[in-house]
């Protein structure tokens, strides 16, 4: 049993780390391609997850949520956290408005691409299953399934139209100037709003579960589409 738990935790951690690290690195790569090398000069265009760790958002808050939920309700219902934002100097982009839209979109885009890529990789694991240990095949397929799930959820969550999420940055870029300024002005409260919607209001309002609704109504249908796009059923 101990070995099974170790394998499960390893699969969960590796899938989450890859999804978050590549998401953040994609922002830096896009910014550099569009004229701003700030992230590259600061070492943030990197696949080293340590470079993207935020002490509060990546370690302390997820650890607190994990322990508190296990101690109070005996299970984990929701997790939340964030990586260190990739620095982007919008005025160094060749086209500041649309450049920022593309930089913001790069993170979710790489997550969707990874979900599809892992779906394709599952065919290779299945084809090689006869030459792999049974436990190894099971672990790889579990890791692939978790990677697809985490990448899709991360992409869909970040596309919510609320700064400082990527969807909010995209919205600011495509709206007319007066509306864009109004949306951008909410960024200072954006993180508090997200935390309130996900963790506070569901405990105050019966049946209010925006995160669950996002997963059920958006992320899971997208995940099913990714499976089909990768050639797994119709």
């Amino acid at each position: 049993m101990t070995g099974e738990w170790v394998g499960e935790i390893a699969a969960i951690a590796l899938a989450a780390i890859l999804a978050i690290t590549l998401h953040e690195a994609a922002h830096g790569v896009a910014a550099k391609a569009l004229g701003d090398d700030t992230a590259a000069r600061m070492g943030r265009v990197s696949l080293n997850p340590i470079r993207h760790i935020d002490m509060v958002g990546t370690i302390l808050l997820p650890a607190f949520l994990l322990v508190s939920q296990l101690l109070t309700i005996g299970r984990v219902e929701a997790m939340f956290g964030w990586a260190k934002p990739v620095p982007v100097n919008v005025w160094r982009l060749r086209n500041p408005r649309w450049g920022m839209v593309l930089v913001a979109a790069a993170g979710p885009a790489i997550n969707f691409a990874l979900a599809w890529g892992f779906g394709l990789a599952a065919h290779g694991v299945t084809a090689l299953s006869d030459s792999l240990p049974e436990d190894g095949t099971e672990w790889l397929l579990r890791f692939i399934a978790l990677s697809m799930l985490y990448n899709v959820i991360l992409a869909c969550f970040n596309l919510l139209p609320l700064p400082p999420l990527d969807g909010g940055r995209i919205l600011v870029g495509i709206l007319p100037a007066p509306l864009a300024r109004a949306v951008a002005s909410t960024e200072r409260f954006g993180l508090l709003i997200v935390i309130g919607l996900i963790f506070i209001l569901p405990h105050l309002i019966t049946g209010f579960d925006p995160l669950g609704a996002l997963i059920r109504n958006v992320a899971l249908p997208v995940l099913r589409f990714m499976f089909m796009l990768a050639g797994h059923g119709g």
Side-chain angles (χ1 to χ4, degrees):
M1 183 63 70
T2 301
E4 292 178 4
W5 276 106
V6 170
E8 181 71 4
I9 292 172
I12 291 171
L14 183 57
I17 288 170
L18 283 174
I20 294 170
T21 299
L22 289 169
H23 177 103
E24 295 300 330
H27 288 311
V29 170
K32 185 177 181 180
L34 294 168
D36 175 30
D37 65 347
T38 303
R41 286 186 287 105
M42 296 179 67
R44 295 298 308 282
V45 182
S46 172
L47 298 182
N48 181 357
I50 295 176
R51 293 187 178 274
H52 304 291
I53 287 177
D54 180 278
M55 182 58 65
V56 175
T58 313
I59 298 176
L60 296 180
L61 179 59
F64 170 76
L65 293 172
L66 176 66
V67 173
S68 61
Q69 289 178 89
L70 289 175
L71 291 177
T72 55
I73 61 177
R75 62 187 183 279
V76 179
E77 289 189 342
M79 289 296 292
F80 181 70
W82 59 87
K84 187 188 301 181
V86 169
V88 178
N89 185 341
V90 65
W91 302 114
R92 297 191 66 182
L93 298 171
R94 284 188 287 274
N95 184 323
R97 180 183 181 185
W98 291 106
M100 195 64 225
V101 169
L102 293 174
V103 169
I110 197 66
N111 290 130
F112 285 131
L114 284 168
W116 176 64
F118 277 112
L120 293 176
H123 292 294
V125 173
T126 302
L128 294 172
S129 60
D130 290 340
S131 59
L132 293 172
E134 183 177 350
D135 290 346
T137 300
E138 291 179 0
W139 187 90
L140 285 171
L141 291 175
R142 175 64 173 160
F143 165 68
I144 286 171
L146 288 170
S147 293
M148 293 183 71
L149 176 65
Y150 291 171
N151 274 286
V152 167
I153 290 177
L154 184 62
C156 291
F157 179 81
N158 272 281
L159 285 173
L160 290 174
L162 178 69
L165 300 178
D166 297 328
R169 300 262 168 81
I170 294 170
L171 185 63
V172 168
I174 63 178
L175 285 174
L179 289 176
R181 285 193 293 268
V183 174
S185 68
T186 67
E187 181 162 350
R188 72 188 76 174
F189 309 110
L191 186 58
L192 294 176
I193 294 172
V194 171
I195 292 174
L197 285 172
I198 294 176
F199 295 108
I200 298 176
L201 287 182
H203 292 285
L204 301 177
I205 303 175
T206 302
F208 183 77
D209 183 16
L211 182 60
L214 176 70
I215 292 173
R216 289 191 303 272
N217 300 323
V218 180
L220 291 182
V222 171
L223 182 62
R224 286 193 290 269
F225 174 74
M226 289 294 174
F227 271 108
M228 289 190 293
L229 195 64
H232 298 281

